[in-house]
Amino acid sequence: MEKSKNWYMLLIKGIIMILLAILVFSSPAGALLTYVLYIGIGLLIAGIVSIVQGFQSKGTDDHWGGTVLGGVLDIILGFILMANPGLTAAILPFIFGFWATFFGFSLFVSAFAGTGGGLMKFIGGILTVFIGFGIMFNPIMMGLALTVWVGIILLVVGIYSVIASFSLK
């Protein structure tokens, strides 16, 4: 696997996701609208970082477009969360479930691309898709547990990003 000179961008994204997870875990009974705002801002920043990372790796990574697409989706989700927090809080299970399912599926597919970290991507992808489907298709069960599941997803994505960044270094 070719080492990347911009490994730190993935590290920054991972740290942001881990910090968001800590924020979510610190007060799961807190106001969901506040989480919507914080997570929206965090996703905007993480999306920008992913887009920059994708374009910086354009010459060295054949899958740079997927990184850019993931960043665009993070930015779109961030704007959706912040545009109408009340409505967003009501449909948050589906939005986060879709985001987690997409990210998990992309991890799962990239496990077979031969770019390194295949087993970790495979396991992380399956777990993230499973959690995403659980959030999307059982919103009643996800009532209060939603913040915990979102925190778990953010933590998985963050830890994966941090570990992957060091493997690129």
Side-chain angles (χ1 to χ4, degrees), residues 6-51:
N6 60 355
W7 62 272
Y8 61 90
M9 297 300 274
L10 190 57
L11 177 64
I12 292 169
K13 178 181 178 180
I15 291 170
I16 289 169
M17 293 298 190
I18 291 170
L19 290 174
L20 285 171
I22 291 169
L23 175 68
V24 168
F25 289 139
S26 69
S27 178
L32 186 56
L33 295 179
T34 303
Y35 290 151
V36 168
L37 179 63
Y38 287 150
I39 293 169
I41 291 169
L43 285 171
L44 287 174
I45 295 168
I48 291 167
V49 168
S50 290
I51 289 171

Side-chain angles (χ1 to χ4, degrees), residues 37-108:
L37 179 63
Y38 287 150
I39 293 169
I41 291 169
L43 285 171
L44 287 174
I45 295 168
I48 291 167
V49 168
S50 290
I51 289 171
V52 169
Q53 176 194 6
F55 282 116
Q56 284 183 345
S57 65
K58 188 175 181 180
T60 60
D61 183 5
D62 293 338
H63 305 287
W64 67 272
T67 303
V68 171
L69 178 62
V72 169
L73 288 176
D74 284 348
I75 289 173
I76 291 169
L77 180 57
F79 277 125
I80 290 171
L81 292 177
M82 294 178 2
N84 190 347
L87 179 61
T88 299
I91 60 171
L92 198 57
F94 181 78
I95 292 171
F96 270 108
F98 177 78
W99 175 77
T101 301
F102 176 81
F103 184 80
F105 182 72
S106 67
L107 270 180
F108 179 80

Side-chain angles (χ1 to χ4, degrees), residues 133-156:
F133 274 128
I135 291 172
M136 269 195 306
F137 297 113
N138 200 350
I140 294 172
M141 180 190 87
M142 292 297 138
L144 286 177
L146 175 63
T147 54
V148 174
W149 284 111
V150 168
I152 290 169
I153 290 167
L154 292 169
L155 190 60
V156 167

